[in-house]
Amino acid sequence: TLNVAATGAQCYRLFKDIDATFANKCLQVAERAWEAAKRNPNEILPEGVYNTGSGEYGDTKLGDEFQWAAAELYISTGKQHYANDINLGSLTSTDYNWQDTGLAGVMSLATVPTNHTAGLMAEARQKLQGIADHRVNISNTQGYLTPINENEFIWGSNNVIANDLSVIGLVY
């Protein structure tokens, strides 16, 4: 639900000058999804309910999804009640992926200029700079210059590396 809110808000920004009717529908869906999530903040799909054979992708911590959706909705609408749910200092992950989405909102706040997000933009850029510096420091200690250390090589490590490199590329 929160991913729909976040991506719907992005969709609005991407299409508002191309197809205003579609863009407005995207924003309406995003805001409805946000409202549903706010009414049911602890409603999580239990494991075992949805498994198409490739395994489930459980996530019981939704704070990062709320942050991402709030950031995208605030950027798109300027409505203060979304800004009230943004706390960049509470995000501790130095990665982003399907389970940790908080940095997606930080990247949008750092790169999408609006008058109402100017203060958050500086904070988001500083946070991303720290993460990029951390990842560059790690890569300088690795034989293949990867931005992940030996404990972070997992199934899907290429995706982890690509995501870390996207943050580094965005900052530098």
Side-chain angles (χ1 to χ4, degrees):
T1 303
L2 290 163
N3 291 357
V4 168
T7 57
Q10 288 177 334
C11 178
Y12 166 76
R13 291 196 308 271
L14 292 172
F15 283 94
K16 67 182 179 180
D17 295 331
I18 299 167
D19 184 341
T21 302
F22 177 67
N24 288 328
K25 183 171 178 105
C26 290
L27 185 57
Q28 288 172 354
V29 168
E31 291 188 305
R32 284 184 58 210
W34 174 263
E35 291 165 10
K38 290 295 278 187
R39 281 192 311 270
N40 303 285
N42 298 313
E43 196 68 35
I44 299 172
L45 185 68
E47 289 192 36
V49 173
Y50 183 75
N51 186 344
T52 61
S54 67
E56 294 185 86
Y57 291 86
D59 185 1
T60 59
K61 298 175 184 167
L62 303 181
D64 54 314
E65 282 86 359
F66 273 104
Q67 292 257 3
W68 178 32
E72 299 298 350
L73 283 160
Y74 184 51
I75 293 166
S76 293
T77 68
K79 294 177 182 175
Q80 186 59 43
H81 67 275
Y82 297 123
N84 295 339
D85 281 281
I86 300 170
N87 178 358
L88 300 182
S90 70
L91 297 173
T92 58
S93 179
T94 62
D95 295 308
Y96 72 97
N97 55 50
W98 58 268
Q99 196 172 33
D100 293 313
T101 60
L103 286 184
V106 176
M107 290 187 285
S108 289
L109 287 167
T111 59
V112 180
T114 67
N115 290 334
H116 55 274
T117 59
L120 285 170
M121 178 179 270
E123 185 180 351
R125 287 180 175 186
Q126 182 178 16
K127 185 163 199 71
L128 288 177
Q129 179 76 53
I131 291 168
D133 290 346
H134 169 71
R135 290 294 166 188
V136 167
N137 288 338
I138 289 173
S139 71
N140 289 334
T141 69
Q142 301 299 309
Y144 290 105
L145 300 176
T146 59
I148 63 175
N149 64 41
E150 59 276 0
N151 298 323
E152 295 174 299
F153 279 94
I154 58 168
W155 183 93
S157 293
N158 287 344
N159 180 261
V160 176
I161 292 168
N163 289 347
D164 288 343
L165 289 173
S166 71
V167 173
I168 293 169
L170 182 64
V171 169
Y172 296 108

